[in-house]
Amino acid sequence: IGVVCPTSVSYSDINDHVAAYPNPFHETIVIETSGAEAISIYTLLGEKITYHSLKPGQTKVEMNVSGLQQGVYFYSIIKEGVVAETRRLIKK
């Protein structure tokens, strides 16, 4: 079953594990996911801030994001070349 979302934000299988902590964050954020090939972080306006490729089998990325301003951001999990899921992050 394929689902197309008009906002270009699609959602993955409910059995996939996705977690970001701590959230809200200060200087570093850890994102865990299963089966992803990359993780991107975006501003509220959709500007890509960072892109991290994952090695095969890698399920966790720790990112230093101390340079970001306080506010709301989004991270996207990329699987098979497409956005599988997008979630919100808050920088304190």
Side-chain angles (χ1 to χ4, degrees):
I1 297 176
V3 178
V4 177
C5 182
T7 61
S8 297
V9 177
S10 58
Y11 296 92
S12 63
D13 186 323
I14 197 158
N15 294 323
D16 285 351
H17 169 75
V18 177
Y21 54 90
N23 193 14
F25 64 94
H26 290 281
E27 294 185 10
T28 60
I29 184 87
V30 175
I31 300 176
E32 291 185 12
T33 182
S34 58
E37 60 192 52
I39 298 170
S40 292
I41 297 179
Y42 299 88
T43 66
L44 278 174
L45 298 176
E47 298 172 56
K48 188 185 297 184
I49 295 170
T50 186
Y51 178 92
H52 291 278
S53 294
L54 280 73
K55 297 175 185 169
Q58 183 179 2
T59 60
K60 182 171 28 174
V61 173
E62 183 174 347
M63 296 179 238
N64 182 336
V65 286
S66 59
L68 297 180
Q69 299 293 321
Q70 284 185 315
V72 178
Y73 297 89
F74 293 97
Y75 69 96
S76 293
I77 305 299
I78 298 146
K79 295 182 180 183
E80 299 176 6
V82 297
V83 174
E85 188 162 351
T86 298
R87 294 190 179 186
R88 183 179 64 188
L89 294 170
I90 299 172
K91 167 93 188 244
K92 279 189 154 184

